[in-house]
Amino acid sequence: MAWVILGIAVFTEIIWALSLKWAATVGSGQASAVPIGLSFLNMGLLALAMRDLPAGTAYAIWTGLGAVGVIIGGMILYGDRVNMAQIGFMAMIVIGVVGTKLSAQA
């Protein structure tokens, strides 16, 4: 169950980071409340996953997949450009995350 919770935490991390850019473009106090609320949810889910997973494993997967997800989300939602070198480095992050998961003891 901890891995499922971590997966949800990764998803909320991606949505949180993308909502930061959205809130900055909207520029209202109500829009700013969205990333603030998501940050509490995000941290709570990560902490819950860490009850049963090693902290380093959970954090590495959360940050790695979160970063890749935000890059892809930025491309889709905001038209962010990515070059081939960045795609290669994102692939290495994903390989590292898969290796971390496969070698995890929990």
Side-chain angles (χ1 to χ4, degrees), residues 54-98:
T57 299
Y59 187 73
I61 291 171
W62 179 73
T63 57
L65 292 182
V68 172
V70 171
I71 293 168
I72 293 169
M75 291 168 55
I76 294 167
L77 297 174
Y78 302 115
D80 294 348
R81 295 180 183 264
V82 176
N83 62 42
M84 290 307 293
Q86 290 171 302
I87 292 170
F89 288 117
M90 287 179 1
M92 285 193 282
I93 291 171
V94 171
I95 290 167
V97 166
V98 170

Side-chain angles (χ1 to χ4, degrees), residues 31-44:
S32 297
V34 172
I36 292 169
L38 284 170
S39 68
F40 283 104
L41 176 62
N42 189 15
M43 291 295 151

Side-chain angles (χ1 to χ4, degrees), residues 3-80:
W3 290 108
V4 172
I5 294 168
L6 183 60
I8 296 167
V10 168
F11 181 74
T12 60
E13 170 76 357
I14 294 164
I15 301 303
W16 166 79
L18 294 170
S19 75
L20 287 172
K21 185 165 184 169
W22 169 79
T25 60
V26 172
S28 71
Q30 292 144 334
S32 297
V34 172
I36 292 169
L38 284 170
S39 68
F40 283 104
L41 176 62
N42 189 15
M43 291 295 151
L45 288 167
L46 179 61
L48 190 59
M50 284 183 176
R51 286 183 178 176
D52 296 319
L53 297 174
T57 299
Y59 187 73
I61 291 171
W62 179 73
T63 57
L65 292 182
V68 172
V70 171
I71 293 168
I72 293 169
M75 291 168 55
I76 294 167
L77 297 174
Y78 302 115
D80 294 348

